[in-house]
Amino acid sequence: MRRLPEVGAARRRWAGVARRAVRAGAQPERVFALAHAVVARWWEQALQWEREKVWPRRLHQVAGGDAGGDLEWWRIVGRDAVVFPEVVAVADVLLDPAMAQLVWVDSGAGRPRVLPVDGLFCRRLGERVGREWLGPLAAADHGGPLIAWMGSVIRLRRGAGGPPGYDNDPWWLRREHQPVTMAGQLRVLGKEKKAPGSGTMWRAVVPAEQRMRIGSLIGSAEEQLLQLRGVQSGLTAEVARQLLQGLGHSAGLVEAAWKRTAVAAVNGGVPLEEVARWADMSSGTLRSMLTAGSQEEDG
């Protein structure tokens, strides 16, 4: 940690953030857990972010200068140290009333609309974590804890109910949003090395990017539908337009998740005929989907 002065600075900054949480009536540990879940999700996606330069540098420093051939192992054991400054910054953002106001503005305030990918909140969030380019990426990840928090903020202001099984507590961290623990990741890594491609464990045979994409599509559809609960007032044409467009978008997200899951299952070793039966489609249709998916990846 001596190689990373920004981590020490973040530790000192956290004391002030924790005090702000208490003043706001929130438990600091819950605020931290939510911020950590947001940033841990970014960490998993960051392998695909060409503009991300800070975390690779920190990770190599944590590894003593060069993670080398053990990069995957170091990404697991070094994650929490490397991302700590961003976790503190995000916690500070989530506690900022001015940032919550930007969420409300992005949602259309009194005239509900789908959250835009170029919204003020995510744009400002990217700036506050030192990544001006991050805003659209964060806004597009509708299946994650950040959008869930934004949804809670919006529903609280509208006086709308939350999804079944959840209330509108903005600090509630859903089970599916909780980051995988270091121990859990190391167990999976060990099993992958012992029996690669065995097909016995979903996480062992389906790449993290694919798993996250499926989860993101499902979460996006859920948040989209929740937003539509607040639009059934106003001119008939306007309400109908928003409902039909929103429902159509949600249906497209669910279909995309359904197709990706079927493809991931077959690629993971499950017999094509079984997957086709579960998906209620013919084997030929599923085979065509696999072929199309392979051609898209090659392109």
Side-chain angles (χ1 to χ4, degrees), residues 209-261:
E209 183 182 0
Q210 284 184 265
R211 299 196 310 269
M212 183 163 291
R213 183 57 180 158
I214 291 169
S216 179
L217 288 165
I218 295 171
S220 179
E222 178 188 21
E223 289 297 331
Q224 175 79 58
L225 291 169
L226 284 171
Q227 290 185 45
L228 291 178
R229 293 173 64 178
V231 304
Q232 296 195 56
S233 62
L235 296 175
T236 302
E238 180 63 17
V239 172
R241 180 187 67 78
Q242 292 195 58
L243 284 173
L244 289 172
Q245 289 181 345
L247 289 168
H249 183 53
S250 297
L253 293 169
V254 171
E255 182 178 5
W258 172 77
K259 289 181 178 179
R260 285 177 178 269
T261 301

Side-chain angles (χ1 to χ4, degrees), residues 4-83:
L4 300 173
E6 61 266 43
V7 174
R11 288 185 60 187
R12 294 187 292 274
R13 183 184 179 192
W14 168 249
V17 176
R19 289 192 294 271
R20 174 184 285 189
V22 172
R23 290 195 298 270
Q27 298 175 358
E29 59 270 24
R30 296 184 70 206
V31 175
F32 184 89
L34 180 59
H36 179 258
V38 170
V39 178
R41 190 173 176 92
W42 292 347
W43 175 255
E44 294 303 321
Q45 299 170 338
L47 286 173
Q48 311 302 319
W49 294 350
E50 294 182 1
R51 300 180 68 176
E52 177 54 52
K53 308 298 182 184
V54 176
W55 283 344
R57 173 185 58 79
R58 281 195 206 144
L59 184 62
H60 287 302
Q61 288 176 312
V62 167
D66 185 3
D70 293 324
L71 178 62
E72 191 171 6
W73 186 86
W74 275 109
R75 275 187 54 81
I76 294 173
V77 301
R79 178 193 67 186
D80 291 348
V82 171
V83 305

